[in-house]
Amino acid sequence: MTKPLSNSWLARERIIAKSGFNRWLVAPAALAVHLCIGQVYAFSVFNLPLTKVLGIKNSLPEDWKLTQLGWIFSIAIVFLGLSAAFAGKWLETVGPRVTMLCAAICFSSGFFISALGVKLHEIWFLYLGYGVLGGIGLGLGYVSPVSTLIKWFPDRRGMATGLAIMGFGGGAMIGAPLGVKLMSHFATGISVGVAETFLCMGTIYLCMMLIGAFSIRLPADGWIPAHFKAPKKKQSLI
């Protein structure tokens, strides 16, 4: 019989930090996720090679056009927004570990399905994989670290949000050269190396995001940093 979530190691209650926990340890866990999902802004490095999947050196009439490939990024961003918008309440219920785990599975699976699409030369696999499934992973992976960082740093909300945005933006700085280097490594006379690069990057990102998911912790209810006084709510004049 499957254990209910409340009794499993994924439960929100299981990741409540003990007294004396160093809240700065949460930042690397959050960055481990955001540095991965930020790769979406480096997806353009794959566009030109994807137009030569069949021709290898030069595009053939049967190869994909840039206008077709442009939809992959657009779909991913749409589903990032949709999943982030609807995941808030669920995140607060199940906790960041479950959300980040789902993000890792969705985001990495998007790469794996896209690799299959390149091998079969079926662009719908890329729309479904990196676009839809990867986009959902992006949304879930974005909201969970931000929400958790703000809980740990109520006295430094701007810094907490800035850390998350820095990681998201920094993901492209890592993802772009990594993608180019891997494609160059895997390229042969019969392959542009994109499918192999998708498989490799999907595996790397899965491992990194799982590390972040298993490292994340939540503060106990009512916890506040030392010497921090929560601002008083202003009374309404009406």
Side-chain angles (χ1 to χ4, degrees):
M1 184 179 294
T2 304
K3 292 182 179 180
L5 187 59
S6 59
N7 294 329
S8 75
W9 56 274
L10 289 173
R12 188 179 188 277
E13 294 76 15
R14 295 295 184 91
I15 60 173
I16 302 297
K18 296 180 180 179
S19 178
F21 178 79
N22 186 348
R23 61 177 176 166
W24 289 99
L25 295 176
V26 176
L31 286 174
V33 174
H34 272 204
L35 285 172
C36 293
I37 63 175
Q39 186 277 336
V40 67
Y41 289 114
F43 188 81
S44 59
V45 300
F46 298 115
N47 284 343
L48 185 58
L50 284 171
T51 63
K52 302 177 182 179
V53 171
L54 299 179
I56 308 300
K57 296 296 182 181
N58 299 290
S59 298
L60 296 179
E62 298 82 6
D63 268 313
W64 295 321
K65 305 297 187 290
L66 285 175
T67 51
Q68 295 174 286
L69 297 170
W71 283 102
I72 301 171
F73 176 81
S74 299
I75 294 171
I77 295 302
V78 167
F79 277 87
L80 183 160
L82 290 174
S83 56
F86 290 101
K89 186 175 181 181
W90 181 65
L91 165 62
E92 294 302 320
T93 301
V94 300
R97 175 173 287 179
V98 171
T99 312
M100 291 164 73
L101 178 61
C102 290
I105 294 172
C106 289
F107 190 61
S108 59
S109 296
F111 277 97
F112 300 148
I113 293 173
S114 295
L116 178 61
V118 174
K119 283 294 185 181
L120 299 177
H121 204 250
E122 291 288 346
I123 199 167
W124 292 104
F125 279 76
L126 279 78
Y127 291 160
L128 174 64
Y130 196 94
V132 177
L133 198 57
I136 292 172
L138 287 169
L140 297 178
Y142 186 83
V143 297
S144 45
V146 173
S147 172
T148 307
L149 281 171
I150 291 175
K151 287 184 173 66
W152 277 110
F153 294 93
D155 52 336
R156 302 180 181 182
R157 288 177 176 268
M159 184 210 68
T161 306
L163 277 174
I165 296 173
M166 178 190 72
F168 197 52
M173 295 178 64
I174 297 173
L178 176 62
V180 171
K181 190 171 183 64
L182 287 173
M183 284 188 290
S184 176
H185 173 75
F186 289 119
T188 65
I190 58 173
S191 172
V192 291
V194 178
E196 296 84 353
T197 297
F198 280 166
L199 289 173
C200 189
M201 293 183 76
T203 302
I204 293 172
Y205 288 147
L206 175 62
C207 293
M208 285 189 63
M209 293 175 76
L210 287 178
I211 290 172
F214 296 145
S215 303
I216 202 72
R217 294 291 183 274
L218 280 173
D221 291 340
W223 175 89
I224 57 172
H227 311 298
F228 172 68
K229 293 182 180 180
K232 294 181 180 179
K233 294 182 179 180
K234 295 182 179 180
Q235 293 182 347
S236 175
L237 298 178
I238 299 177

